[in-house]
């Protein structure tokens, strides 16, 4: 039982490049979400999903796309990376529709130059 | 959406109880209070949650006032490893599901 797995752990992108951050969970959780955390700041919700085929926007969705084709996976796509997207990205999952405690991944540290 | 207010930082002596307060005066009747913590730059860790009754688990106790406008997370015997940022969160319901909004949290320093 691996929990929530995020890949890659570190990534450097050039401005304008696109990439996908991967998130996978093996707990059969319906609810998954993506957060970003800037240095010294709290977490901000980007997108979330309450089940396969269902996604919704969080606080800061601009510049990011998500899809949920399976229960296990919830990838986050950066369409055209900008320096303002330099951050640590965390993926989380929970049973039900998020009413239970979340399990977080270990994060992806992204730098956009 | 209910918002939470926490002190930005607190100190606690090792071995003593750490009492972390949280105000959530606009909480709705069906909203739960959750606590998480984040050690260094690791992913946040779920601690405990409750609706209106006090709750206890192996990590901590959660005391919610009768009017539910505030709560306190209690770490009964704080250790150096409890130094972390603690987040108090009220679950927000949204059409089709739920989303959780994190605030800035309280940075707890446990000192020897």
């Amino acid at each position: 039982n691996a929990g929530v797995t995020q890949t890659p752990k570190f990534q450097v992108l050039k401005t304008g490049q696109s990439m996908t951050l991967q998130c996978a969970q093996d707990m059969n959780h319906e609810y998954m979400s993506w957060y970003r955390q800037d240095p010294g700041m709290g977490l901000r919700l980007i997108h979330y999903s309450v089940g396969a085929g269902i996604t919704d926007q969080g606080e800061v969705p601009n510049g990011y796309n998500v899809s949920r084709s399976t229960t296990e996976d919830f990838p986050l796509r950066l369409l055209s990376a900008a320096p303002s997207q330099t951050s640590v990205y965390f993926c989380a999952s929970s049973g039900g529709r998020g009413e239970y405690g979340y399990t977080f991944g270990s994060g992806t540290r992204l730098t956009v130059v | 959406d209910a918002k939470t207010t926490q002190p930005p930082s607190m100190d606690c002596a090792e071995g003593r109880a750490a009492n972390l307060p949280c105000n959530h005066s606009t909480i709705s009747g069906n909203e739960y209070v959750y606590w998480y913590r984040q050690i260094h730059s690791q992913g946040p860790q779920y601690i405990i949650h409750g609706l209106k009754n006090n709750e206890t688990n192996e990590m901590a106790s959660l005391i919610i006032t009768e009017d539910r406008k505030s709560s306190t997370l209690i770490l009964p015997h704080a250790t150096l490893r409890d130094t972390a940022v603690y987040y108090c969160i009220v679950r927000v319901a949204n059409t089709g599901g739920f989303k959780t909004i994190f605030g800035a949290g309280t940075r707890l320093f446990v000192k020897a």
Side-chain angles (χ1 to χ4, degrees):
Chain A
N1 189 338
V4 177
T5 303
Q6 292 185 237
T7 57
K9 294 190 182 302
F10 301 93
Q11 182 71 48
V12 178
L13 288 179
K14 294 182 178 180
T15 298
Q17 286 185 315
S18 62
M19 80 160 294
T20 299
L21 308 185
Q22 301 291 344
C23 176
Q25 52 90 11
D26 60 359
M27 297 171 284
N28 201 32
H29 284 170
E30 290 295 320
Y31 185 91
M32 297 185 74
S33 55
W34 277 102
Y35 290 86
R36 61 175 286 176
Q37 186 173 36
D38 299 334
M41 304 292 287
L43 290 90
R44 290 187 291 171
L45 180 65
I46 305 172
H47 287 284
Y48 67 101
S49 168
V50 298
I54 306 170
T55 63
D56 205 347
Q57 296 182 348
E59 303 171 89
V60 289
N62 293 339
Y64 307 94
N65 275 356
V66 292
S67 60
R68 186 91 179 274
S69 57
T70 67
T71 299
E72 295 77 18
D73 300 299
F74 191 42
L76 178 72
R77 281 183 287 277
L78 279 71
L79 308 174
S80 178
S84 61
Q85 294 179 304
T86 293
S87 191
V88 180
Y89 291 83
F90 290 103
C91 179
S93 74
S94 173
R97 292 193 296 164
E99 63 267 38
Y100 304 111
Y102 291 359
T103 300
F104 279 83
S106 58
T108 294
R109 284 152 182 78
L110 176 68
T111 301
V112 183
V113 298
Chain B
D1 296 348
K3 297 291 190 291
T4 63
T5 303
Q6 299 178 253
S9 66
M10 294 181 62
D11 291 343
C12 179
E14 187 178 23
R16 302 296 294 270
N19 297 285
L20 292 91
C22 180
N23 287 322
H24 31 78
S25 58
T26 59
I27 191 170
S28 299
N30 61 348
E31 291 178 318
Y32 286 72
V33 180
Y34 290 79
W35 283 85
Y36 290 80
R37 73 179 182 183
Q38 188 175 26
I39 298 174
H40 297 300
S41 55
Q42 298 176 20
Q45 176 189 23
Y46 164 80
I47 300 173
I48 198 168
H49 76 282
L51 182 62
K52 54 183 177 181
N53 296 322
N54 298 338
E55 302 288 344
T56 296
N57 62 20
E58 65 278 5
M59 291 182 66
S61 294
L62 173 61
I63 308 298
I64 303 174
T65 58
E66 189 170 348
D67 63 8
R68 303 209 324 122
K69 293 184 177 182
S70 65
S71 61
T72 300
L73 179 75
I74 301 173
L75 308 178
H77 304 287
T79 70
L80 299 178
R81 289 175 294 180
D82 291 322
T83 292
V85 177
Y86 288 77
Y87 297 99
C88 169
I89 294 151
V90 173
R91 188 192 69 187
V92 178
N94 193 25
T95 301
F98 301 95
K99 60 183 181 181
T100 296
I101 306 297
F102 283 74
T106 295
R107 188 171 295 275
L108 176 68
F109 297 95
V110 180
K111 300 182 177 181

